[in-house]
Amino acid sequence: MPKVKTNAAAKKRFALTGTGKIKRKHAYHSHILTKKSKKRKRNLDHTTLVDGANEKQVRELLNLR
């Protein structure tokens, strides 16, 4: 059997926490920042966890089971 490849895009976008949860970055923080408030941009800076509804899909992309 050949090796199972990890999705390269997912590898760049997600990271595992020490407890095995999946971290992600917020969207909408890369361009058109002048019209967004400082508070909104500051809140987009932080990482958050992948929602439970999407966790299975992300784990399959990262070959985590």
Side-chain angles (χ1 to χ4, degrees), residues 13-15 17 22-27 41-50:
R13 284 170 175 80
F14 301 104
T17 64
I22 304 171
K23 288 193 300 187
R24 69 170 177 87
K25 290 185 176 132
H26 283 279
K41 289 185 280 191
R42 186 169 61 244
N43 288 335
L44 290 172
D45 260 342
H46 307 299
T47 58
T48 186
L49 297 175
V50 169

Side-chain angles (χ1 to χ4, degrees), residues 5-16 23 58 61-62:
K5 287 193 174 184
T6 299
N7 182 287
K11 186 168 48 176
K12 295 169 190 171
R13 284 170 175 80
F14 301 104
L16 282 178
K23 288 193 300 187
V58 175
L61 291 171
L62 295 172

